[in-house]
Amino acid sequence: MSTIVVQKFGGTSVGSVERIQHVASRVISEVENGHKVVVVVSAMGKTTDELLTLANAINPHPSKRDMDMLLTTGEQITISLLAMALQVRGHEAVSLTGWQAGIRTEPVHGNARITHIETDLLKSHLNAGKIVIVAGFQGITATNEITTLGRGGSDTTAVALAAALSAEKCDIYTDVTGVFTTDPRFVKGARKLAAIAYDEMLELANLGAGVLHPRAVEFAKNYGVQLVVRSSMEEEEGTIIEEEVSMEKNLVVRGIAFEDQITRITVCSLPNELHTLSTIFTTLAQHSLNVDIIIQTSMDKDTTNISFSVKTVDVKDTIEVLEQHQSRLGFTAIEQESGLAKVSIVGSGMVSNPGVAAEMFQVLATEGIHVKMVSTSEIKVSTVVDVAEMVRAVEALHVAFKLGEESVERVLS
């Protein structure tokens, strides 16, 4: 009995007619290996950015509902073209939007989560011998509202489909050859990992490593989906994301993630009461606003300041929500500092190796890099620094934690 394989191709992989034809060859190769194939694709190249530009030219503050209606058209172009490319080469293929594929989401525009997938139609097409091509990044609510899953959401679509269909594996084809110790576009010494644990990959994805969408890793971990990140253009082994990865004990840190466009917001002179923290962050959560690193500073016995980091794109909405609830929250002012970046080290070996955070801070201090905020977990330490210092911080930490070619090759040998 044929097993199911899910393949996902990102925007650069389908960015031209030639690349779509190359993707068709990849798909056909998997079919010829005896598999039933589901293909998930993103919008072509810069299509999503072009649609955003069009929207902003019409209305600088469009509704999230209509943005979802607009942006989902990008993936529909790709699915139809890929279906045509397969059909002209003699293979039966059917293109499906997210909602046609049975992907149901929560009622949130712009960043919805998948609630469940109705697989009857998908299985019917697969059993009929068809290649199924699904538009990534999109779904539909119980009231038939079209939604999107956030940037990078096609990864989530692919892994969720793999889980729902009990697929043998899910291959994420992208413009890099795998998961690297850090972004090789910025750090020359970055090296590809043969394997990385779900938890480590999830932290890296959440902290800015753009190779995989965090929710995709969550799905893979929760449902035991075999996940492989590999190049769509090069015939090369990729990186396996799995539950356990054997490693040398001396490689405590496995990767470094970083992202710019971070802003620190400080809410000043809040009441110094037991429920202040829960009230302010519940208010933000009710408006689907995510905060990251949180610091509370008591000014005196009656008042406290709370600082937290957000993505710069969310600053306007965050401040508007806080100001709408100022009388209830009881603060006197809001301050903000932009031009920041987050730099994070990640590694499951940190659990049993004390002093990793101290070493990180020492490296940054030696480089003269001022740390503005800190957050830790069992397997990561995140710092907020000036964006001008971001790459230098990453390079110094990459060297300090021996993530270069020699140490990585030792781990993989």
Side-chain angles (χ1 to χ4, degrees), residues 129-143:
K130 297 177 183 177
I131 300 167
V132 179
I133 307 162
V134 179
F137 173 67
Q138 58 187 241
I140 197 166
T141 70
T143 56

Side-chain angles (χ1 to χ4, degrees), residues 51 64 113 218 351 403:
L51 292 172
K64 290 185 177 181
R113 289 181 176 270
E218 267 187 90
V351 176
L403 292 177

